[in-house]
Amino acid sequence: MKLTGVEVPVATLEKIEPNTVLVVISNDKGEIRVVKVDHHSIPTGESFLRVSPNSSDTGQPQGGCWIRINGTVIWVDPCPY
């Protein structure tokens, strides 16, 4: 699967619009880039991002996945796929 998108300013992270998928990337020098993912590049009805359960106390105790359904990005826990 290939996701496509456009680079947006880091300030975009201050106010994220509903149903928006952003990818934050830090290179080897620590420079941060933010990419807004094009929804049409996200497959429909299948997980495009899985989150593994974490047994430590880091605020993410459960696993699940993000799925695009009817144009909306939805968190599903547990992930059915």
Side-chain angles (χ1 to χ4, degrees):
M1 163 188 28
K2 287 186 180 180
L3 298 177
T4 61
V6 295
E7 188 169 356
V8 295
V10 174
T12 304
L13 296 171
E14 294 174 14
K15 184 174 189 242
I16 301 173
E17 297 295 322
N19 207 38
T20 300
V21 177
L22 299 174
V23 177
V24 179
I25 304 166
S26 173
N27 68 14
D28 59 340
K29 297 175 185 169
E31 298 167 332
I32 297 172
R33 308 294 271 283
V34 180
V35 175
K36 181 177 179 182
V37 177
D38 176 15
H39 269 250
H40 297 293
S41 72
I42 301 172
T44 302
E46 63 183 74
S47 64
F48 69 93
L49 179 62
R50 291 174 165 262
V51 178
S52 298
N54 187 343
S55 59
S56 67
D57 234 2
T58 60
Q60 181 59 47
Q62 300 176 7
C65 60
W66 291 99
I67 300 174
R68 184 170 78 105
I69 300 173
N70 296 327
T72 303
V73 178
I74 299 174
W75 173 252
V76 179
D77 181 14
C79 189
Y81 307 106

